[in-house]
Amino acid sequence: MKKIFKQLVVIFSLIFISASIYSFQIFIFKKPDDTMFYLLQDFAFLPLQILIVTFIITNILKTREKNILQNKMYMVIGAFFSQLGLKLIKDLAIDDLHIKDARQILNIESNWTEKELMNAKKLINKHNFVIKISTENLIKLKNNLLKEKPFLLGLLENQNLLEHELFSDLLWTICHLTEELEYRENLDNLSKKDYEHLCYDIKRIYYPLITQWLQYINHLKFNYPFIYSLVIRTNPFNEDAKVEL
């Protein structure tokens, strides 16, 4: 109520000031007809002012703000893949039973067009992801995730990610798996049901990791070609990839 009351005070104050100025003008110059003429002329231009300010200038500013926010968001996503994401894809791909099919789809070349990248994303959506992780790799995964837990929690606090729901969901899913593994002190003697549950949680990470990685690559391709070149040379699905040129 206080906020509405303050707004009403501002509105009526502005109306009062405007009426006072017009009254003063009429009193000084004694030309009410001219005052009314220019007043109506100002009202005639008002719809154009609304059009220019509301629809044109506001949209330009919103687009600019959106682009700035998107760049900040991709900087955070880039930090994620540099610190954890890429290594996580490599570790999980080892236990992907259909890794050969994934490699055929994701053997990305430096000269790929946006159309080819989008086509790879469509094909990977149809890929049958099956994860059967070994006990050794499960322990290794647990240790890596626990080591990066502070980093993950720090990313979740980043306000720029609020606009990227899919990536935020991916981070929450990784945090969930980290907690699942953290609560299990002994991973050597898992029951079949418990093992299948963990494999399912890993699969829930593996697929969105790849799709987010593809989206990130597509952004780099047309905005940061020098970083794109490095990403292609560290492609976890290309067995022949090497950093050295």
Side-chain angles (χ1 to χ4, degrees), residues 95 132-142 186-190 195:
D95 296 292
K132 295 294 181 182
I133 191 166
S134 65
T135 302
E136 181 184 354
N137 288 340
L138 193 58
I139 294 171
K140 181 182 176 183
L141 178 64
K142 175 183 176 180
N186 187 3
L187 295 174
D188 291 314
N189 298 306
L190 295 173
Y195 171 77

Side-chain angles (χ1 to χ4, degrees), residues 108-147:
I108 303 170
E109 300 291 342
S110 59
N111 60 349
W112 272 27
T113 62
E114 183 178 10
K115 184 178 179 181
E116 287 173 307
L117 287 169
M118 289 298 100
N119 186 54
K121 190 174 180 180
K122 289 179 182 177
L123 291 174
I124 210 66
N125 287 339
K126 300 176 183 177
H127 178 66
N128 182 23
F129 291 93
V130 180
I131 298 290
K132 295 294 181 182
I133 191 166
S134 65
T135 302
E136 181 184 354
N137 288 340
L138 193 58
I139 294 171
K140 181 182 176 183
L141 178 64
K142 175 183 176 180
N143 293 333
N144 288 337
L145 289 177
L146 288 177
K147 180 182 175 183

Side-chain angles (χ1 to χ4, degrees), residues 204-216:
R204 287 174 61 226
I205 289 173
Y206 185 49
Y207 168 67
L209 255 178
I210 294 173
T211 55
Q212 285 297 312
W213 179 67
L214 281 171
Q215 190 172 329
Y216 173 60

Side-chain angles (χ1 to χ4, degrees), residues 30-55:
K30 310 296 183 183
K31 292 182 178 181
D33 292 344
D34 288 348
T35 301
M36 291 303 298
F37 172 78
Y38 287 114
L39 178 62
L40 289 174
Q41 193 174 49
D42 289 340
F43 273 117
F45 188 67
L46 188 59
L48 290 177
Q49 286 181 314
I50 295 172
L51 174 65
I52 293 170
V53 174
T54 305
F55 293 98

Side-chain angles (χ1 to χ4, degrees), residues 153 156 167-177 179 204:
L153 295 177
L156 287 170
F167 186 69
S168 297
D169 288 345
L170 170 61
L171 293 180
W172 279 115
T173 308
I174 296 173
C175 286
H176 169 72
L177 176 62
E179 290 182 348
R204 287 174 61 226

